[in-house]
């Protein structure tokens, strides 16, 4: 039977090559392991010396102590380098047995790429090596020597898939790519590139769209680009320039979507929340975008309002802007992508007392109760209703809309303790204001002992509310409103 060949090498030749490589690797590893043992012993000796000098308070010999500490630090650094060398060799030795295609090797490390990325010149490198090159201050491409227009590293998914398939064909497991690295402070080249994109937002429509899409991608991937907007006085006005013309909103929904999404990306950065929220054009544009544009635009506008409302001052600004009504309409619209973002924004806004009355006036109670009855976003909407139930008009609406039966059903059949707690809190508020609803509670107790069970097995707050209701039902004690 003919011997199988891989990459032009027979089984016997490959076996012998692997054996020789393994022997060499074992010898190298043994040498490294011996060095590691020696360094560990030296580090232990130095550590004991430092402790002894410290215990003896040898202040008069500060120079000697510092010298010992420096030696200990050097030993730690050497130990780290040896361990990394062992780790890298163990990975590399597997690939040394094969003739790896040149295009799969990083031009810097000459090793197979685990996380290939494309530089602005179009050349592909392994992420950790090109990242180190850039971190060291280089602003040219290692291969072409071209000056980089920016330092954004774009994943090369095609090369990654080709490498993965090659490894699979040769029975090799490719190590996972390194985790995304923080590109750190924005460089002068990056700042120049971003400024050029912002300038394009005042140019032709095609350039506006291209620039908006690229800024959207940059602010999604790199925190450093988000921070730039908080540092530059002119960045946000330049960003919003295309949207300042109202006809653009309807005529070019793709441009609107990209710019609203940029605002969402920027709002994630904590230092941007106040700057963006207080800009006179941002919140009005987000509010308008809740009802116009693609569903992604509407959803991202709601998400942006949610992240911006992390600041209490922004909660008030957003509430006064009229955002609650379109958020409630977006929730009522029923699109899965948008409902959760809208609900999250409403909840955050209603933390502020002033916004609860606005939400109630804008129809929040009816919309949310109907969604809950349909089994939609039950957890989220119960949390909001529990907050709104501190408002007199909201409680009256809940009574009229048949909330008691719905809430009792959830307590009886739901396994989520948080939902039960919110249900009993809402019921507690309803029964304070409407004694006629106590009959429904008595009927429920006779049939299922729902409230009694909750008073025994619920959360501490649920037990407190349930016991208060039971007192009202059976002993005629006046119900008091507790938190």
């Amino acid at each position: 039977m003919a011997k199988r060949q891989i990459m032009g090498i027979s089984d016997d030749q490959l076996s012998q090559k692997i054996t020789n490589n393994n022997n060499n690797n074992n010898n190298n590893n043994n040498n490294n392991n011996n060095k590691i043992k020696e360094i560990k012993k030296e580090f232990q000796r130095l550590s004991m010396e430092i402790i002894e000098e410290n215990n003896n308070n040898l202040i008069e010999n500060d120079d000697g102590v510092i010298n010992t500490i420096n030696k200990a630090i050097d030993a730690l650094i050497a130990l780290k380098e040896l361990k990394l060398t062992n780790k890298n060799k163990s990975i590399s030795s597997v690939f040394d047995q094969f003739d790896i295609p040149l295009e799969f090797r990083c031009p810097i490390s000459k090793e197979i790429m685990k996380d290939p990325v494309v530089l602005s010149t179009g050349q592909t490198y392994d992420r950790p090596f090109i990242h180190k090159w850039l971190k060291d201050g280089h602003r040219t491409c290692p291969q072409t020597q071209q000056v980089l227009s920016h330092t954004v590293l774009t994943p090369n998914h095609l090369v990654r898939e080709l490498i993965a398939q090659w490894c699979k064909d040769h029975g090799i497991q490719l190590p996972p790519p390194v985790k995304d690295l923080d590109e750190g402070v924005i460089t002068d080249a990056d700042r120049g590139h971003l400024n050029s994109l912002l300038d394009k937002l005042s140019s032709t429509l095609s350039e506006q769209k291209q620039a908006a899409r690229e800024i959207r991608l940059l602010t999604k991937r790199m925190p450093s680009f988000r921070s730039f907007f908080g540092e530059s006085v002119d960045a946000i006005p330049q960003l919003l320039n295309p949207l300042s013309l109202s006809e653009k909103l309807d005529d070019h929904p793709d441009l609107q979507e990209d710019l609203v999404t940029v605002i969402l990306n920027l709002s994630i950065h904590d230092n941007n929340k106040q700057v963006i929220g207080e800009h006179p054009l941002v919140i009005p544009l987000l509010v308008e975008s809740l009802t116009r544009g693609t569903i992604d635009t509407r959803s991202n506008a709601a998400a942006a309002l949610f992240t911006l409302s992390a600041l209490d001052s922004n909660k008030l600004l957003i509430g006064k802007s009229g955002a609650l009504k379109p958020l409630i309409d977006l929730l009522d619209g029923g699109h899965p992508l948008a409902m959760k973002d809208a609900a999250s924004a409403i909840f955050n806004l209603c933390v502020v007392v002033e916004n609860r009355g606005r939400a109630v006036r804008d129809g929040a109670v009816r919309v949310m109760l109907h969604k809950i009855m349909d089994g939609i976003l039950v957890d989220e909407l119960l949390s909001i209703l529990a907050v709104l139930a501190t408002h007199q008009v909201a409680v009256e609406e809940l009574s009229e809309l048949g909330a008691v039966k719905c809430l009792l059903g959830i307590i009886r059949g739901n396994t989520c303790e948080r939902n039960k707690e919110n249900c009993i809190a809402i019921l507690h508020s309803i029964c304070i204001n409407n004694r006629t609803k106590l009959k429904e509670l008595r009927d429920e107790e006779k049939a299922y002992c729902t409230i009694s069970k909750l008073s025994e097995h619920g959360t501490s707050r649920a037990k407190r509310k349930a016991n208060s209701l039971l007192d009202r039902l059976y002993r005629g004690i006046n119900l008091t409103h507790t938190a």
Side-chain angles (χ1 to χ4, degrees):
M1 183 180 294
K3 290 184 180 290
R4 178 172 56 88
Q5 289 199 344
I6 297 177
M7 302 291 289
I9 302 174
S10 70
D11 280 348
D12 290 342
Q13 290 172 319
L14 181 62
S15 177
Q16 184 60 46
K17 185 175 182 179
I18 291 172
T19 299
N20 292 337
N21 283 340
N22 286 341
N23 289 336
N24 290 333
N25 288 332
N26 287 336
N27 290 335
N28 290 334
N29 286 339
N30 287 335
N31 289 335
N32 277 350
N33 288 334
N34 290 333
K35 289 180 182 178
I36 288 172
K37 288 179 182 178
E38 290 175 9
I39 293 174
K40 280 184 176 179
K41 287 182 180 179
E42 177 65 9
F43 177 70
Q44 289 173 349
R45 185 188 69 76
L46 291 168
S47 298
M48 293 302 298
E49 188 176 328
I50 292 168
I51 293 170
E52 185 177 347
E53 290 173 342
N54 183 62
N55 289 338
N56 292 334
N57 295 319
L58 298 178
I59 302 174
E60 67 279 3
N61 192 22
D62 281 349
D63 291 341
V65 175
I66 292 171
N67 186 47
T68 306
I69 292 173
N70 287 335
K71 287 181 180 179
I73 293 172
D74 291 339
L76 277 177
I77 293 172
L79 187 63
K80 178 182 177 182
E81 289 176 350
L82 279 172
K83 284 186 172 290
L84 286 174
T85 300
N86 273 358
K87 181 179 178 182
N88 291 334
K89 281 185 176 179
S90 65
I91 293 172
S92 299
S93 60
V94 178
F95 294 100
D96 290 341
Q97 301 157 15
F98 300 96
D99 185 12
I100 302 170
L102 186 63
E103 59 268 25
F104 293 169
R105 293 179 180 270
C106 174
I108 299 175
S109 69
K110 309 303 180 185
E111 297 177 359
I112 193 166
M113 292 184 283
K114 286 85 173 179
D115 189 6
V117 292
V118 181
L119 208 52
S120 63
T121 57
Q123 306 299 316
T124 298
Y125 300 89
D126 204 3
R127 183 187 292 273
F129 297 98
I130 190 62
H131 180 267
K132 184 179 185 305
W133 169 269
L134 297 172
K135 192 175 181 182
D136 288 343
H138 299 288
R139 287 298 173 264
T140 57
C141 176
Q143 282 187 288
T144 67
Q145 302 305 313
Q146 288 177 263
V147 176
L148 303 176
S149 59
H150 59 82
T151 58
V152 179
L153 303 177
T154 305
N156 193 329
H157 297 296
L158 176 60
V159 171
R160 169 73 182 169
E161 289 173 8
L162 290 172
I163 292 173
Q165 185 60 51
W166 182 88
C167 289
K168 183 179 179 182
D169 292 342
H170 292 82
I172 304 171
Q173 173 126 21
L174 181 65
V178 293
K179 293 181 179 180
D180 288 339
L181 299 170
D182 183 3
E183 278 79 4
V185 179
I186 191 168
T187 66
D188 289 338
D190 295 333
R191 186 175 284 104
H193 178 57
L194 190 50
N195 278 325
S196 69
L197 292 175
L198 290 171
D199 288 340
K200 288 182 180 179
L201 292 174
S202 300
S203 186
T204 63
L205 180 62
S206 62
E207 286 192 322
Q208 287 179 355
K209 289 186 175 183
Q210 180 268 330
R213 173 50 61 109
E214 190 167 348
I215 293 173
R216 173 179 178 174
L217 295 175
L218 289 174
T219 54
K220 176 184 179 181
R221 290 199 303 260
M222 297 176 64
S224 55
F225 278 93
R226 296 176 206 152
S227 64
F228 171 82
F229 281 81
E231 300 166 2
S232 172
V233 176
D234 299 324
I236 293 176
Q238 284 181 281
L239 175 70
L240 298 176
N241 184 63
L243 289 181
S244 63
L245 302 174
S246 59
E247 62 269 21
K248 298 269 187 191
L249 291 173
D250 290 330
D251 294 345
H252 305 286
D254 54 338
L255 176 60
Q256 179 195 6
E257 179 184 324
D258 284 337
L259 292 178
V260 167
T261 306
V262 171
I263 294 173
L264 168 60
N265 294 342
L266 297 178
S267 68
I268 295 170
H269 191 71
D270 286 341
N271 292 340
N272 287 342
K273 295 185 191 300
Q274 185 172 359
V275 175
I276 295 175
E278 293 180 357
H279 192 283
L281 294 180
V282 171
I283 291 176
L285 284 170
L286 292 176
V287 172
E288 188 173 6
S289 297
L290 289 171
T291 58
R292 304 168 68 174
T294 66
I295 191 60
D296 283 324
T297 300
R298 300 170 69 193
S299 177
N300 289 344
L305 290 172
F306 166 68
T307 57
L308 289 173
S309 63
L311 288 183
D312 287 344
S313 58
N314 283 346
K315 288 183 178 72
L316 291 169
L317 290 172
I318 296 169
K320 291 176 181 177
S321 72
L324 280 160
K325 181 63 168 70
L327 282 170
I328 293 165
D329 291 341
L330 191 59
L331 177 64
D332 194 22
H335 195 287
L337 186 65
M339 280 195 300
K340 195 154 190 174
D341 288 320
S344 298
I346 294 168
F347 178 81
N348 245 17
L349 293 172
C350 288
V351 169
V352 174
V353 175
E354 293 92 329
N355 287 334
R356 296 174 195 174
R358 296 184 178 106
V360 173
R361 288 192 296 273
D362 290 333
V365 173
R366 178 192 60 79
V367 170
M368 292 180 188
L369 188 59
H370 286 171
K371 292 291 180 186
I372 290 170
M373 289 177 174
D374 292 337
I376 298 170
L377 294 181
V378 174
D379 299 4
E380 294 85 349
L381 299 183
L382 279 175
S383 296
I384 301 174
L385 282 184
V387 173
L388 295 181
T390 60
H391 193 279
Q392 177 68 31
V393 177
V395 173
E396 293 171 0
E397 280 192 52
L398 287 166
S399 297
E400 295 168 2
L401 293 169
V404 172
K405 181 179 179 181
C406 171
L407 296 170
L408 288 171
I410 292 173
I411 295 174
R412 192 185 329 120
N414 197 299
T415 57
C416 176
E417 294 301 321
R418 179 64 178 169
N419 287 350
K420 292 179 182 180
E421 179 183 312
N422 283 327
C423 284
I424 198 69
I426 298 167
L427 284 170
H428 191 272
S429 295
I430 291 173
C431 291
I432 289 175
N433 293 276
N434 191 339
R435 293 183 180 182
T436 64
K437 297 299 176 182
L438 289 172
K439 183 180 183 305
E440 291 184 60
L441 267 64
R442 289 192 187 97
D443 293 341
E444 179 75 17
E445 271 298 288
K446 289 178 182 178
Y448 304 105
C449 297
T450 302
I451 301 174
S452 297
K453 291 176 182 177
L454 189 60
S455 70
E456 295 177 6
H457 305 294
T459 65
S460 58
R461 181 169 179 248
K463 288 178 180 179
R464 189 168 67 251
K465 296 289 186 180
N467 282 320
S468 182
L469 282 174
L470 290 172
D471 286 344
R472 177 67 173 168
L473 287 174
Y474 296 125
R475 287 185 285 278
I477 300 176
N478 290 331
L479 194 64
T480 57
H481 194 180
T482 57

